[in-house]
Amino acid sequence: MSKAHRVAVAVLAASALLVPGAQPAQAGASRQATTGPAATDRSGYHVLTLRRAAPRDLRIGTAAAGGGHHVDQPYPDPFTYDQPYRRVLAHEFNSVSPENQMKWEFIHPERHTYNFGPADAIVKFARRHGQVVRGHTLLWHSQNPAWLQDGQFTKDELRAILKEHIVTVVGHYRGKIQQWDVANEILNENGEYRQENIFIRELGPGIVADAFRWAHQADPKAQLFLNDYGVEWPGAKVDAYEALAKQLLADRVPLRGFASQAHLSTRYGAPDQLAAVLQRFDALGLHTAITELDVRMDLPESGVPTAEQLQTQATYYKTVLDACLAVAGCNSFTIWGFTDKYSWVPVFFPSEGAATVMWDDFGRKPAYYALRNTLAAAHWGR
Ligand code: 9MR
């Protein structure tokens, strides 16, 4: 660590608030070895958090757990009921993404019924804790309600339904959302429009531009994003997104950003070309963002990752953060949940897990410290 970085860390630590509910893991030996450098005061409270360590022009976010896969799990809604979870959420992050609570099936469950309560609670929490909100999401092939997916609508009706949804939802949160994932996962790995997306299939790809225009009319200040996974390496998908972004900008569509979700697995290589990918969109004058980072791994029979696995995971997390820090317009870095307790990964990938930066009891893994140290080192400028 250079002298400047040491000074930066010392100043940050001195000015930091104490963070309750954040003691190092009390679990078995394999976990104790992973708690990293002591950043706690005498009572065991963390004094330096991710949001405090971060450069001022970079938001550090997490998904707020609720809805989706959580509904079938044997615990109550995490965001609503888990107080230690809420404390860590408030102290560590200055950006929040509703994990499911703003998706169609959740917020628009019947054709003429909107259910804003759960998302409103997140937006209120965010305001109270000095956090921005990333809205997720408006145009997607998944988690659409049956009334929409199975409804026999004419093209005109479907278009009117989408417009009404966007104007209503984006309008409801006008002025309260920093970034909206307007179009989510609209291309497949070959860079073609996904035909599973009911709006694209029925109305054609031009609907994407309309969705951006309607969202912009409803909230002119929100930064409107394209968001997808599988764009962490160059290839057909990235090429197609770059061409789409150029076209939208040429057509004066209010596109403001391109985001890489970054759902990674240690089964595959490290994301060491991500900075180059983000740079291509930065060069178009767009913001870039990391929106759903997690790094899953194959768990040993014990269910506890080895020290080596945790180290590899930490390197992946750091590589993604380094990519964002290296690109001037990358202004938001979000992890898809911060504790394994609520991760979507084991539910969707049965033999994989441990994908987040904290254990079930919020003890920190090497990946957490890798992020915090990297942020602290970049604190005074990047
Ligand atoms: O984490 C979300 C989980 O709770 C839902 O059950 C799942 C359903 O598709 O969606 C998860 O979040 C996804 C996100 O909205 C879009 N990118 C992929 C994420 C992981 O599947």
Side-chain angles (χ1 to χ4, degrees):
M1 200 188 266
S2 72
K3 190 172 172 223
H5 291 160
R6 275 201 305 277
V7 172
V9 172
V11 170
L12 277 166
S15 68
L17 288 174
L18 300 184
V19 181
Q23 287 85 353
Q26 299 299 310
S30 57
R31 292 190 177 186
Q32 285 209 329
T34 69
T35 53
T40 53
D41 74 353
R42 262 177 281 164
S43 29
Y45 286 86
H46 274 255
V47 292
L48 181 59
T49 61
L50 297 175
R51 65 184 283 179
R52 282 189 166 269
R56 294 183 74 86
D57 59 351
L58 178 63
R59 290 284 172 168
I60 306 300
T62 179
H69 76 277
H70 302 286
V71 171
D72 304 321
Q73 302 302 306
Y75 49 67
D77 184 72
F79 174 78
T80 311
Y81 295 107
D82 188 334
Q83 292 305 327
Y85 171 88
R86 287 167 66 93
R87 279 198 290 276
V88 179
L89 177 66
H91 286 285
E92 289 285 346
F93 301 94
N94 56 16
S95 175
V96 181
S97 304
E99 184 175 3
N100 293 288
Q101 300 89 336
M102 286 186 183
K103 293 173 180 173
W104 274 76
E105 70 172 7
F106 216 90
I107 208 164
H108 197 169
E110 302 295 340
R111 182 163 180 190
H112 299 295
T113 306
Y114 287 89
N115 170 33
F116 288 118
D120 284 357
I122 294 173
V123 172
K124 195 168 157 205
F125 178 95
R127 284 175 86 84
R128 186 151 25 105
H129 296 288
Q131 299 166 320
V132 296
V133 178
R134 294 197 82 264
H136 178 79
T137 178
L138 301 169
L139 180 74
W140 193 24
H141 63 272
S142 182
Q143 289 185 275
N144 289 328
W147 70 262
L148 169 67
Q149 216 50 46
D150 306 335
Q152 300 294 316
F153 300 113
T154 65
K155 290 189 194 312
D156 284 349
E157 283 170 338
L158 195 59
R159 189 180 154 80
I161 286 169
L162 178 64
K163 180 175 183 182
E164 187 223 80
H165 176 90
I166 291 178
V167 167
T168 304
V169 174
V170 177
H172 182 83
Y173 294 110
R174 183 183 173 105
K176 297 177 176 169
I177 301 282
Q178 183 208 18
Q179 303 182 338
W180 264 108
D181 291 329
V182 173
N184 193 42
E185 304 170 5
I186 56 170
L187 304 182
N188 66 22
E189 67 275 20
N190 299 320
E192 297 148 352
Y193 283 95
R194 274 194 194 245
Q195 295 307 309
E196 310 98 286
N197 185 310
I198 184 172
F199 302 108
I200 289 174
R201 184 180 65 240
E202 300 300 326
L203 305 174
I207 196 64
V208 173
D210 288 332
F212 276 91
R213 291 192 183 103
W214 294 328
H216 184 65
Q217 282 161 17
D219 187 353
K221 291 205 174 128
Q223 298 165 12
L224 306 183
F225 271 70
L226 293 164
N227 185 51
D228 212 329
Y229 63 85
V231 292
E232 291 73 35
W233 289 266
K237 197 170 190 177
V238 170
D239 292 346
Y241 269 114
E242 188 181 28
L244 172 61
K246 282 181 178 165
Q247 189 59 54
L248 292 173
L249 293 172
D251 294 343
R252 306 186 72 81
V253 173
L255 169 70
R256 294 288 173 266
F258 173 80
S260 149
Q261 294 180 1
H263 290 291
L264 303 175
S265 165
T266 59
R267 282 187 187 180
Y268 313 111
D272 46 17
Q273 299 182 66
L274 181 54
V277 170
L278 297 180
Q279 193 59 52
R280 284 165 60 178
F281 294 89
D282 194 78
L284 301 179
L286 295 175
H287 289 299
T288 52
I290 305 301
T291 51
E292 305 182 15
L293 173 61
D294 51 20
V295 182
R296 59 189 189 270
M297 60 183 79
D298 289 287
L299 292 175
E301 228 162 84
S302 65
V304 182
T306 65
E308 194 186 348
Q309 284 183 301
L310 292 171
Q311 202 44 57
T312 303
Q313 179 185 53
T315 305
Y316 278 48
Y317 268 96
K318 178 173 162 43
T319 303
V320 175
L321 177 55
D322 280 336
C324 180
L325 288 169
V327 175
C330 187
N331 62 356
S332 179
F333 176 86
T334 290
I335 58 180
W336 206 237
F338 55 86
T339 168
D340 289 347
K341 187 177 182 183
Y342 297 130
S343 171
W344 70 291
V345 166
V347 178
F348 285 75
F349 301 92
S351 63
E352 295 178 82
T356 76
V357 301
M358 292 185 196
W359 303 110
D360 287 13
D361 63 0
F362 310 117
R364 276 100 170 124
K365 299 181 190 173
Y368 171 87
Y369 293 104
L371 293 184
R372 203 182 62 187
N373 293 343
T374 304
L375 290 169
H379 184 80
W380 299 114
R382 47 170 168 147

